[in-house]
Amino acid sequence: EEPLDAAYWVRNLRDPVMFAPMVSGLIDQGVHVFMELDPHPVLAQALEQCLARAGKAGTVVASACRDEQGATTLLEAAGALVVAGVPVQLEPKAATADEQPRSELVVLSAKTDAALSAQAAQLHRHLLAHPELELSELALSLAVTRSPMDHRLALAASSREPLLAALSLAAQGQTPAGSRRGSVQPSPHKIAFLFTGQGSQVVGMGR
Protein backbone atom coordinates (compact mmCIF):
# COMPACT_ATOMS: atom_id res chain seq x y z
CA GLU A 1 0.00 0.00 0.00
CA GLU A 2 1.40 3.38 -1.02
CA PRO A 3 2.20 5.66 1.94
CA LEU A 4 0.29 8.95 2.03
CA ASP A 5 3.45 11.00 2.58
CA ALA A 6 4.50 14.40 1.23
CA ALA A 7 5.75 12.87 -2.03
CA TYR A 8 2.33 11.28 -2.63
CA TRP A 9 0.53 14.62 -2.30
CA VAL A 10 3.05 16.35 -4.55
CA ARG A 11 2.41 13.75 -7.25
CA ASN A 12 -1.33 14.00 -6.58
CA LEU A 13 -1.27 17.71 -7.37
CA ARG A 14 1.29 17.81 -10.18
CA ASP A 15 0.97 14.63 -12.24
CA PRO A 16 -1.53 14.53 -15.14
CA VAL A 17 -4.70 12.52 -14.60
CA MET A 18 -5.90 12.51 -18.23
CA PHE A 19 -9.26 13.98 -17.20
CA ALA A 20 -10.09 15.78 -20.47
CA PRO A 21 -9.25 12.78 -22.72
CA MET A 22 -11.34 10.54 -20.48
CA VAL A 23 -14.36 12.86 -20.62
CA SER A 24 -13.95 13.36 -24.37
CA GLY A 25 -13.94 9.61 -24.83
CA LEU A 26 -17.15 9.27 -22.83
CA ILE A 27 -18.80 12.02 -24.87
CA ASP A 28 -17.81 10.22 -28.09
CA GLN A 29 -19.54 7.11 -26.69
CA GLY A 30 -22.79 9.04 -26.23
CA VAL A 31 -22.48 10.09 -22.59
CA HIS A 32 -23.95 13.57 -22.29
CA VAL A 33 -25.02 13.54 -18.62
CA PHE A 34 -22.39 13.74 -15.90
CA MET A 35 -23.15 13.51 -12.18
CA GLU A 36 -20.40 14.45 -9.77
CA LEU A 37 -20.60 12.55 -6.47
CA ASP A 38 -18.64 14.78 -4.15
CA PRO A 39 -19.28 16.98 -1.09
CA HIS A 40 -18.96 20.00 -3.38
CA PRO A 41 -18.77 20.16 -7.21
CA VAL A 42 -15.24 20.97 -8.35
CA LEU A 43 -15.29 19.68 -11.92
CA ALA A 44 -18.53 21.16 -13.26
CA GLN A 45 -16.83 23.91 -15.25
CA ALA A 46 -14.27 21.50 -16.72
CA LEU A 47 -17.04 19.09 -17.74
CA GLU A 48 -19.05 21.88 -19.37
CA GLN A 49 -15.94 22.98 -21.28
CA CYS A 50 -15.40 19.44 -22.56
CA LEU A 51 -19.00 19.28 -23.77
CA ALA A 52 -18.68 22.68 -25.47
CA ARG A 53 -15.43 21.67 -27.15
CA ALA A 54 -17.13 18.55 -28.52
CA GLY A 55 -20.08 20.64 -29.74
CA LYS A 56 -22.52 18.60 -27.68
CA ALA A 57 -25.39 19.70 -25.47
CA GLY A 58 -25.21 18.03 -22.11
CA THR A 59 -26.07 18.20 -18.43
CA VAL A 60 -23.71 18.42 -15.46
CA VAL A 61 -25.28 17.60 -12.10
CA ALA A 62 -23.92 18.01 -8.58
CA SER A 63 -25.03 15.59 -5.87
CA ALA A 64 -24.13 17.98 -3.03
CA CYS A 65 -23.08 21.58 -2.48
CA ARG A 66 -21.22 23.11 0.41
CA ASP A 67 -23.37 25.05 2.90
CA GLU A 68 -26.62 23.84 1.29
CA GLN A 69 -29.16 21.37 2.66
CA GLY A 70 -28.34 17.91 1.41
CA ALA A 71 -31.94 16.77 0.91
CA THR A 72 -32.80 19.81 -1.20
CA THR A 73 -29.65 19.48 -3.30
CA LEU A 74 -30.41 15.82 -3.98
CA LEU A 75 -33.96 16.70 -5.02
CA GLU A 76 -32.64 19.35 -7.40
CA ALA A 77 -30.17 16.80 -8.79
CA ALA A 78 -32.99 14.31 -9.34
CA GLY A 79 -34.94 17.04 -11.12
CA ALA A 80 -32.00 17.80 -13.39
CA LEU A 81 -31.73 14.12 -14.30
CA VAL A 82 -35.47 13.90 -15.04
CA VAL A 83 -35.28 16.93 -17.34
CA ALA A 84 -32.23 15.43 -19.08
CA GLY A 85 -34.20 12.28 -19.86
CA VAL A 86 -32.45 9.97 -17.42
CA PRO A 87 -34.90 7.45 -15.92
CA VAL A 88 -35.34 8.34 -12.25
CA GLN A 89 -37.64 6.41 -9.95
CA LEU A 90 -39.48 9.09 -8.01
CA GLU A 91 -41.20 7.76 -4.92
CA PRO A 92 -42.49 10.75 -2.94
CA LYS A 93 -44.42 9.83 0.19
CA ALA A 94 -47.30 11.65 1.79
CA ALA A 95 -46.19 13.34 5.00
CA THR A 96 -47.58 12.12 8.31
CA ALA A 97 -49.31 14.46 10.76
CA ASP A 98 -46.33 14.63 13.16
CA GLU A 99 -43.63 14.90 10.48
CA GLN A 100 -41.63 18.07 9.91
CA PRO A 101 -42.18 19.80 6.52
CA ARG A 102 -39.72 18.66 3.89
CA SER A 103 -38.82 19.67 0.38
CA GLU A 104 -40.64 17.94 -2.46
CA LEU A 105 -39.82 17.56 -6.15
CA VAL A 106 -42.65 18.80 -8.36
CA VAL A 107 -42.30 17.67 -11.98
CA LEU A 108 -44.34 18.92 -14.94
CA SER A 109 -44.09 17.84 -18.57
CA ALA A 110 -45.77 18.68 -21.86
CA LYS A 111 -45.43 18.14 -25.61
CA THR A 112 -44.19 21.68 -26.30
CA ASP A 113 -42.50 24.44 -24.32
CA ALA A 114 -45.59 26.64 -24.66
CA ALA A 115 -47.75 23.83 -23.31
CA LEU A 116 -45.31 23.44 -20.41
CA SER A 117 -45.80 27.10 -19.51
CA ALA A 118 -49.55 26.56 -19.70
CA GLN A 119 -49.21 23.55 -17.36
CA ALA A 120 -47.37 25.72 -14.85
CA ALA A 121 -50.08 28.38 -15.03
CA GLN A 122 -52.81 25.76 -14.60
CA LEU A 123 -51.09 24.24 -11.56
CA HIS A 124 -50.64 27.71 -10.09
CA ARG A 125 -54.38 28.35 -10.38
CA HIS A 126 -55.17 24.91 -8.96
CA LEU A 127 -53.03 25.51 -5.87
CA LEU A 128 -54.67 28.88 -5.25
CA ALA A 129 -58.11 27.31 -5.56
CA HIS A 130 -57.23 24.43 -3.20
CA PRO A 131 -55.30 25.78 -0.21
CA GLU A 132 -55.92 22.52 1.63
CA LEU A 133 -53.80 20.52 -0.84
CA GLU A 134 -50.60 19.27 0.78
CA LEU A 135 -47.34 19.68 -1.13
CA SER A 136 -46.40 16.05 -0.57
CA GLU A 137 -49.74 14.89 -2.01
CA LEU A 138 -49.26 17.09 -5.06
CA ALA A 139 -45.74 15.79 -5.73
CA LEU A 140 -46.92 12.20 -5.31
CA SER A 141 -49.85 12.68 -7.69
CA LEU A 142 -47.71 14.29 -10.40
CA ALA A 143 -45.07 11.56 -10.08
CA VAL A 144 -47.31 8.50 -10.30
CA THR A 145 -50.37 9.51 -12.34
CA ARG A 146 -48.86 11.15 -15.43
CA SER A 147 -46.60 9.84 -18.17
CA PRO A 148 -43.59 12.12 -18.81
CA MET A 149 -43.47 14.07 -22.08
CA ASP A 150 -40.50 15.62 -23.84
CA HIS A 151 -40.60 19.15 -22.42
CA ARG A 152 -40.04 19.06 -18.67
CA LEU A 153 -39.83 21.29 -15.61
CA ALA A 154 -38.60 20.15 -12.19
CA LEU A 155 -39.07 22.30 -9.09
CA ALA A 156 -37.83 21.55 -5.57
CA ALA A 157 -39.94 23.38 -2.99
CA SER A 158 -40.33 23.20 0.77
CA SER A 159 -43.71 24.97 1.00
CA ARG A 160 -46.56 26.36 -1.08
CA GLU A 161 -45.30 29.95 -1.19
CA PRO A 162 -41.99 29.33 -3.00
CA LEU A 163 -43.70 26.81 -5.25
CA LEU A 164 -46.36 29.34 -6.25
CA ALA A 165 -43.67 31.95 -6.94
CA ALA A 166 -41.72 29.47 -9.08
CA LEU A 167 -44.83 28.39 -11.00
CA SER A 168 -45.67 32.03 -11.71
CA LEU A 169 -42.27 32.52 -13.33
CA ALA A 170 -42.47 29.21 -15.19
CA ALA A 171 -45.86 30.20 -16.59
CA GLN A 172 -44.08 33.14 -18.23
CA GLY A 173 -41.57 30.82 -19.90
CA GLN A 174 -38.82 31.46 -17.35
CA THR A 175 -36.67 29.00 -15.41
CA PRO A 176 -36.94 29.78 -11.68
CA ALA A 177 -33.82 29.67 -9.53
CA GLY A 178 -33.02 26.16 -8.32
CA SER A 179 -35.19 24.51 -10.96
CA ARG A 180 -34.45 22.76 -14.23
CA ARG A 181 -36.31 23.23 -17.50
CA GLY A 182 -35.57 21.69 -20.86
CA SER A 183 -36.45 19.09 -23.44
CA VAL A 184 -35.37 15.49 -23.77
CA GLN A 185 -33.10 14.75 -26.70
CA PRO A 186 -34.35 12.24 -29.33
CA SER A 187 -31.64 9.70 -28.48
CA PRO A 188 -31.56 8.23 -24.97
CA HIS A 189 -28.97 9.76 -22.67
CA LYS A 190 -26.17 7.79 -21.11
CA ILE A 191 -24.96 8.94 -17.71
CA ALA A 192 -21.51 8.90 -16.11
CA PHE A 193 -20.99 9.11 -12.35
CA LEU A 194 -17.78 10.82 -11.29
CA PHE A 195 -16.35 10.01 -7.86
CA THR A 196 -13.94 12.90 -7.40
CA GLY A 197 -13.18 12.79 -3.69
CA GLN A 198 -9.87 14.21 -2.48
CA GLY A 199 -7.02 11.79 -3.05
CA SER A 200 -8.81 9.83 -5.79
CA GLN A 201 -6.52 11.14 -8.54
CA VAL A 202 -3.78 8.81 -9.76
CA VAL A 203 -1.50 9.10 -12.78
CA GLY A 204 -3.27 8.12 -16.00
CA MET A 205 -6.59 7.37 -14.27
CA GLY A 206 -8.47 8.54 -17.35
CA ARG A 207 -6.88 6.02 -19.73
Side-chain angles (χ1 to χ4, degrees):
E1 185 175 345
E2 184 176 5
L4 302 181
D5 53 14
Y8 168 85
W9 293 110
V10 170
R11 292 193 303 274
N12 183 277
L13 293 172
R14 296 187 60 183
D15 288 344
V17 298
M18 307 295 287
F19 176 78
M22 177 270 293
V23 173
S24 297
L26 290 173
I27 294 173
D28 290 341
Q29 295 175 37
V31 177
H32 297 157
V33 180
F34 295 86
M35 185 168 189
E36 186 176 353
L37 301 173
D38 192 83
H40 188 75
V42 295
L43 297 175
Q45 185 175 4
L47 289 165
E48 290 168 352
Q49 290 173 348
C50 288
L51 285 163
R53 188 177 300 114
K56 301 291 186 180
T59 302
V60 178
V61 183
S63 63
C65 290
R66 189 182 300 114
D67 300 326
E68 295 187 12
Q69 292 187 354
T72 300
T73 304
L74 285 174
L75 277 180
E76 292 175 351
L81 295 177
V82 168
V83 172
V86 177
V88 176
Q89 187 172 359
L90 301 175
E91 295 184 348
K93 299 179 181 179
T96 59
D98 57 347
E99 188 176 2
Q100 292 294 325
R102 61 170 184 263
S103 295
E104 301 287 353
L105 185 64
V106 176
V107 179
L108 297 176
S109 68
K111 292 183 178 180
T112 66
D113 189 63
L116 185 62
S117 297
Q119 286 267 12
Q122 180 179 0
L123 182 57
H124 186 275
R125 292 192 298 269
H126 182 75
L127 283 173
L128 290 177
H130 298 277
E132 77 285 355
L133 183 60
E134 294 291 340
L135 186 58
S136 58
E137 296 175 356
L138 172 67
L140 177 62
S141 175
L142 291 172
V144 302
T145 62
R146 301 188 180 187
S147 299
M149 299 182 184
D150 288 346
H151 291 262
R152 303 179 183 182
L153 172 69
L155 305 162
S158 58
S159 64
R160 293 172 59 91
E161 288 72 20
L163 177 58
L164 284 168
L167 289 171
S168 179
L169 292 174
Q172 302 172 46
Q174 301 181 40
T175 303
S179 69
R180 290 292 183 116
R181 181 173 185 156
S183 58
V184 179
Q185 300 299 315
S187 57
H189 276 309
K190 297 179 181 179
I191 183 171
F193 295 92
L194 284 75
F195 297 84
T196 55
Q198 180 62 36
S200 64
Q201 303 90 345
V202 294
V203 177
M205 64 177 286
R207 295 183 183 276

